[in-house]
Amino acid sequence: MSEKIQFVERQQLKEKPDPKDLGFGEHFTDYMLSFQYDADKGWHDLKIVPYGSIEISPAAQALHYGQAVFEGLKAYKHDGEVDLFRPSQNFKRINNSLERLEMPKVDEELLLEGLKQLVDVERDWVPEGDGQSLYIRPFVFATEGVLGVRPAKSYQMLIILSPSGNYYGGESLTPTKIYVEDEYVRAVRGGVGFAKVAGNYAASLKSQTNAAEEGYDQVLWLDGVERKYIEEVGSMNIFFVENGKIVTPELNGSILPGITRKTVIELAQKLGYEVETRHVSIDELFEAYDKGELTEVFGTGTAAVISPVGKLKYEDREIVINNNETGEITQKLYDNYVGIQSGKLDDPEGWRVVVPRYE
Amino acid sequence: MSEKIQFVERQQLKEKPDPKDLGFGEHFTDYMLSFQYDADKGWHDLKIVPYGSIEISPAAQALHYGQAVFEGLKAYKHDGEVDLFRPSQNFKRINNSLERLEMPKVDEELLLEGLKQLVDVERDWVPEGDGQSLYIRPFVFATEGVLGVRPAKSYQMLIILSPSGNYYGGESLTPTKIYVEDEYVRAVRGGVGFAKVAGNYAASLKSQTNAAEEGYDQVLWLDGVERKYIEEVGSMNIFFVENGKIVTPELNGSILPGITRKTVIELAQKLGYEVETRHVSIDELFEAYDKGELTEVFGTGTAAVISPVGKLKYEDREIVINNNETGEITQKLYDNYVGIQSGKLDDPEGWRVVVPRYE
């Protein structure tokens, strides 16, 4: 077993929220993992500290120039044990994001070990209800207080934990309504769309608000150049079932390489489905619908898991997918994915990583 | 005279930096202006407080989703008085940026009054050397600690002040070397390029680092769609002198509408030059150079003021502009612009705004 990292104990533990009313990302546990970087020492001072406010310079570059990246993953409890789901993928991806923003990479194995020790301390916070999990948010932000536009020389990494319910609220597998954005653009080739960087999300809010005002849950983004190829939903990657085949946009530099996307592709192939990753235009989609060939649409994401899409609006037309019900393939993928995550099904690929009991 | 806003005095004033060694945005004054927003009260609690660290939630949305915008302007000292330069333009623009990121707008007049009172308190910090000024940084960031991706319900605005020298270091009017970026993209139509939002700057760092490694000072961005039209330099808008005419890319939604750009256009027209704002392709520029028609290139920005470009590299070719010297028109615009800013020339348009003595 690895060495224990420093643990700063808090005086008094918090009261836990009502498990019936968790929401998403609203409650935080007693502790967080903290890691510091400066140009002289590199990454140092990894420790578990009480969750609470942080002090930063008002000139901290993250607040001015957006040098900030994050990740999201989940821990599940079953049979008295707590598992992480494919956590190495997240630490690998955060390093890709860090690199894109000229931020210093982290030691993936050390961070995974730190996360395990943190979650071990917090295992009582992992909720067990349907669709519930402990949402884990690693993030890194620039702390140096200098206003020249250049990569900062100091950073903080934190991992905070939030016991959470379904991302969209309500029951799992409630079909969502999606608005295809034809005015605003999320990302473009050569930009930062493939990285999980803070600025991508701020840029998406206006479109999200407009969609919500028209009664839609989320926005489907088209490519920034031709405005015709389907990219992603912002909180989810998107999949289509066309003629029994599963189709999803290929990674092109402006789409986030979702870990749930990757897992669902692997899972679908093991279940015997054909999966195509390629350019998908919005016109192709509507033509397939008109021919009766578009039978299911669903999104995938860590927060949203697998979420059926019931309605899709583009320009003046709204189409209803599979009678606004969860399709057969979506259901099967969901059952298998959640089954493995929650420990109800076998895990032949070793996607679940058990959190050890350190003491 | 307007009502005095609340003033929280600090115990001890800081030591002021050596005026010969200011750098840019490295030193900060004794006080800052602070303003709070929450959904219930709106903007409230405007006050001048000691400059120092701020406490924020580790879940503050600015750190995760990049809901953060900023402005930059300058104060100059002359004849014992301190002036701001066109400050209303900055508060107007910050409202455009706030709107794009679904953040609450501020009262432009109230903020200008607050800024005047802050700068009055700090008038001893305004440096008087050549190319020096008090750099003023208003910024707004989301403080609500919730991880759902949606506009935050609480924000903080701060204005911090930094006595600064030339942005690029060294003497004013030293020609810069610019690298035309042909791989990475800063912004795209439908995105947030026209707004002064944090994420735009983080996205530019990698390209900036690559350019620096090849010995260039800054990056010139091309449009994200066709990759052929010239946009901006990131810290500056860009101008060309072609056949004696001044040409600058037109605002298209992905270029920042620079206040110095606007002022330089107005000034050039008053000085009798023809100014064209239109699409400018990188090919046009090199063709004009080959025909001997491209005689000057310069950038404009609050931090950089007016900065001649001596070398421009695109793909495998580097061109030297005006023998790597400051051109006649660049020099004339610089003299007039800086002359008005510094109080050495008349100010018929009322661009200088005197900071009153409140007590």
Side-chain angles (χ1 to χ4, degrees), chain A residues 291-315:
Chain A
K291 287 191 268 180
E293 295 170 356
L294 179 72
T295 50
E296 301 182 38
V297 179
F298 60 92
T300 66
T302 295
V305 192
I306 293 176
S307 184
V309 175
K311 291 177 181 172
L312 203 58
K313 183 176 184 197
Y314 177 55
E315 293 175 343

Side-chain angles (χ1 to χ4, degrees), chain A residues 318-329:
Chain A
E318 184 186 79
I319 57 177
V320 179
I321 317 290
N322 193 43
N323 201 27
N324 199 31
E325 287 164 11
T326 302
E328 188 190 334
I329 294 175

Side-chain angles (χ1 to χ4, degrees), chain A residues 24-26 28 32 51-59 62-70 99-102 135 137 139-141 145-152 158 160 162 167 183-192 197-210 224-225 227, chain B residues 24-26 28 32 51-59 62-70 99-102 135 137 139-141 145-152 158 160 162 167 183-192 197-210 224-225 227:
Chain A
F24 180 84
E26 295 177 17
F28 298 93
M32 58 188 182
Y51 178 92
S53 294
I54 51 176
E55 269 205 8
I56 60 173
S57 163
L63 297 178
H64 297 265
Y65 306 131
Q67 250 197 318
V69 307
F70 70 94
E99 187 177 33
R100 182 61 181 87
L101 293 195
E102 293 283 310
Y135 182 76
R137 169 56 60 89
F139 62 111
V140 186
F141 56 98
V146 169
L147 297 182
V149 178
R150 59 161 173 74
L158 291 171
I160 58 178
S162 173
Y167 186 71
E183 179 183 358
Y184 296 107
V185 168
R186 174 186 171 275
V188 69
R189 288 195 302 273
V192 295
V197 308
N200 287 343
Y201 296 80
S204 76
L205 294 173
K206 192 169 195 68
S207 176
Q208 178 68 34
T209 299
N210 292 349
V225 175
R227 307 272 186 114
Chain B
F24 180 84
E26 295 177 15
F28 297 94
M32 59 189 181
Y51 177 91
S53 295
I54 49 175
E55 270 205 7
I56 61 173
S57 164
L63 297 178
H64 298 264
Y65 305 132
Q67 250 197 320
V69 307
F70 70 95
E99 187 177 33
R100 181 62 181 85
L101 292 196
E102 292 283 310
Y135 182 76
R137 169 58 58 92
F139 61 111
V140 185
F141 56 98
V146 170
L147 297 181
V149 179
R150 59 160 172 76
L158 291 172
I160 58 179
S162 174
Y167 185 72
E183 180 184 358
Y184 296 107
V185 169
R186 175 187 169 275
V188 67
R189 289 196 301 274
V192 295
V197 308
N200 288 342
Y201 295 81
S204 76
L205 294 173
K206 191 167 197 67
S207 176
Q208 178 68 32
T209 298
N210 293 348
V225 174
R227 305 274 186 113

Side-chain angles (χ1 to χ4, degrees), chain B residues 66-139:
Chain B
Q67 250 197 320
V69 307
F70 70 95
E71 274 300 324
L73 68 159
K74 286 176 171 176
Y76 295 86
K77 190 179 272 181
H78 64 93
D79 305 322
E81 294 301 324
V82 174
D83 291 335
L84 305 170
F85 196 74
R86 307 194 83 177
S88 298
Q89 296 285 329
N90 294 89
F91 290 116
K92 191 172 154 192
R93 188 171 63 182
I94 205 170
N95 270 339
N96 290 339
S97 300
L98 288 167
E99 187 177 33
R100 181 62 181 85
L101 292 196
E102 292 283 310
M103 298 165 76
K105 290 194 189 184
V106 293
D107 179 330
E108 298 171 21
E109 287 185 23
L110 178 65
L111 263 300
L112 177 54
E113 179 57 31
L115 174 59
K116 286 177 181 172
Q117 294 192 20
L118 174 66
V119 175
D120 178 45
V121 170
E122 301 289 59
R123 55 175 69 238
D124 289 349
W125 281 89
V126 185
E128 295 184 77
D130 172 52
Q132 296 183 338
S133 61
L134 185 71
Y135 182 76
I136 298 166
R137 169 58 58 92
F139 61 111

